[in-house]
Amino acid sequence: MEMEIGVSLKKHGYLNIPIDPKMDLESEIQRLKKEKNAIILGHFYITPELQDISDFIGDSLGLSQKAKNTDADIIVFLGVHFMAETAKILNPNKKVLIPDLNAGCSLAESAPADKFKAFKEAHPDHKVISYINCSAEIKALSDVICTSSNAELIVSSFSKNQKLIFAPDKNLGNYINSVSGRSMVLWDGACMVHEKYSLEKIIQLKDEHPDAEFIAHPECEKPVLIVADFVGSTTALLNYTQKSTSKKFIVATESGILHQMQKQSPDKVFIPAPSIDSTCGCNDCSFMKLNTMEKLYLCLEHELPELEMDEALMIKAKTPILRMLDISKKLTN
Ligand code: 13P
Ligand code: SF4
């Protein structure tokens, strides 16, 4: 069995072991979780059934805050690789599991560490703010990390005279530049999901639903953000839909969040914003959707795949993450 597991992990990036189709996956996951003192942390973009089985569901900031404070022995991360890395960096002595090692992120991949290092060296008098959607290597090269929830706050923690690099998301960077009046130097990276929205189709949809508010995540491109009634992180969008008196929303972010919106406001209507290619399901992050109930069960049962990271890298990457958590605490309290 050990051999099979090793081969399966190497070949697939996840455990590919047959599961009895009669097994009640949900109760088995609950049992294993209790037995092993494990916590399941899930991002808003995973499937509804995984969101419902998570102990905590949140955006990138909420998930890192939760990861920092948990007393569980095992963290199972239902999200993507950089999120599990952040949890591991904050908990180097805990076991961090990720059901599928292939759950990457196009945005994180758009900033290779060697190229980013050269970019940073070309701007020696700049401080570096990196969006949490990046590899641990990029975090280690940064002064402070931010998420879409706290990007404005993190940027404002630097004096107006301080020159800044913002990486890797040019759309979020552009948005923060426009609301803060800064002119941060931007790394040319983007998210494949948020870049696919069609402005033309959104405008058409707005015309068809004049009673709907259009809300968008700041990873979307500038022309889309300009026509939005509200721009915010996944948590901010969720809170907005609950508080707003509107009954209908066109939502430009990954479609997983619609589950929470609908749960919180069952009487409201949520329409996913259309992508350039309406046949491709581009509103789904294919990396997030690699997480499944079967992989979660196998991951908890065998405690694999486990995230393993270089200790020196974790130490370097931890400082800018802690700085972010500290600034967020001070500025939100
Ligand atoms: P937030 O969770 O910060 O809203 O970011 C969305 C995202 O793209 C995560 O990958
Ligand atoms: Fe990365 Fe975009 Fe997927 Fe978020 S939605 S994990 S930024 S590819």
Side-chain angles (χ1 to χ4, degrees):
M1 192 56 144
E2 273 309 306
M3 180 61 187
E4 271 176 38
I5 286 177
V7 170
S8 157
L9 251 191
K10 223 170 166 181
K11 192 167 167 205
H12 303 281
Y14 56 88
L15 293 179
N16 190 27
I17 300 169
I19 298 176
D20 179 355
K22 285 189 238 110
M23 182 189 281
D24 179 348
L25 280 176
E26 197 185 320
S27 54
E28 280 303 295
I29 290 167
Q30 298 290 8
R31 177 185 64 79
L32 287 165
K33 207 175 69 176
K34 219 167 163 187
E35 240 175 61
K36 300 186 179 209
N37 188 28
I39 187 169
I40 302 178
L41 303 182
H43 189 270
F44 288 132
Y45 293 167
I46 55 177
T47 61
E49 60 176 346
L50 288 174
Q51 290 188 34
D52 292 344
I53 209 165
S54 296
D55 296 299
F56 178 81
I57 180 93
D59 70 355
S60 308
L61 177 63
L63 287 164
S64 23
Q65 284 165 331
K66 194 75 188 171
K68 182 167 180 277
N69 298 324
T70 183
D71 52 13
D73 296 315
I74 297 178
I75 298 173
V76 186
F77 217 109
L78 300 179
V80 292
H81 199 269
F82 76 80
M83 295 178 175
E85 272 190 347
T86 306
K88 180 70 185 172
I89 292 165
L90 291 168
N91 295 279
N93 300 322
K94 286 195 206 296
K95 202 174 246 191
V96 175
L97 305 174
I98 176 164
D100 190 328
L101 287 168
N102 303 309
C105 166
S106 62
L107 180 51
E109 277 160 29
S110 68
D114 53 341
K115 294 208 171 77
F116 185 71
K117 191 166 178 282
F119 182 77
K120 183 184 162 180
E121 281 164 7
H123 299 87
D125 49 352
H126 289 59
K127 297 274 186 206
V128 178
I129 303 178
S130 290
Y131 189 32
I132 199 162
N133 298 38
C134 65
S135 66
E137 286 79 4
I138 299 296
K139 289 185 176 79
L141 290 165
S142 306
D143 292 290
V144 63
I145 303 304
C146 75
T147 74
S148 48
S149 276
N150 61 18
E152 271 184 77
L153 299 177
I154 299 292
V155 170
S156 70
S157 72
F158 287 93
S159 83
K160 284 270 179 200
N161 304 329
Q162 177 60 56
K163 292 179 181 169
L164 299 170
I165 289 176
F166 189 90
D169 190 11
K170 64 176 175 195
N171 293 317
L172 176 61
N174 242 319
Y175 174 70
I176 301 297
N177 271 346
S178 69
V179 293
S180 67
R182 299 257 181 173
S183 44
M184 298 186 290
V185 176
L186 309 179
W187 178 263
D188 187 14
C191 156
M192 64 180 187
V193 178
H194 290 89
E195 279 226 310
K196 289 259 171 69
Y197 292 108
S198 158
L199 179 64
E200 206 185 322
K201 289 186 195 167
I202 288 169
I203 290 171
Q204 200 180 323
L205 201 59
K206 274 164 71 82
D207 286 346
E208 286 164 23
H209 300 275
D211 53 335
E213 282 194 79
F214 172 55
I215 58 173
H217 194 280
E219 285 177 26
C220 296
E221 290 180 315
K222 195 173 182 177
V224 169
L225 296 179
I226 285 173
V227 298
D229 298 300
F230 180 75
V231 175
S233 68
T234 44
T235 296
L237 295 176
L238 183 60
N239 293 341
Y240 185 80
T241 56
Q242 199 178 24
K243 286 187 193 131
S244 166
T245 52
S246 298
K247 292 280 178 212
K248 205 185 265 182
F249 300 88
I250 301 167
V251 184
T253 193
E254 214 269 2
S255 58
I257 187 74
L258 268 63
H259 177 59
Q260 291 301 319
M261 290 175 171
Q262 201 70 75
K263 260 175 103 170
Q264 283 194 4
S265 309
D267 57 324
K268 298 185 180 179
V269 175
F270 300 97
I271 308 169
S275 300
I276 299 164
D277 178 357
S278 45
T279 60
C280 73
C282 306
N283 295 359
D284 279 344
C285 172
S286 52
F287 297 113
M288 289 279 182
K289 297 314 196 245
L290 288 176
N291 293 289
T292 63
M293 287 288 275
E294 288 76 12
K295 288 181 199 165
L296 170 59
Y297 162 73
L298 289 170
C299 170
L300 261 170
E301 165 77 1
H302 299 280
E303 299 182 21
L304 284 170
E306 181 181 355
L307 201 76
E308 279 166 21
M309 295 179 70
D310 177 74
E311 255 178 60
L313 175 63
M314 283 201 281
I315 292 168
K316 276 194 203 149
K318 191 172 182 172
T319 308
I321 298 174
L322 290 181
R323 201 166 284 147
M324 166 188 84
L325 292 174
D326 192 44
I327 295 171
S328 305
K329 197 166 62 193
K330 270 191 235 150
L331 294 173
T332 48
N333 279 347

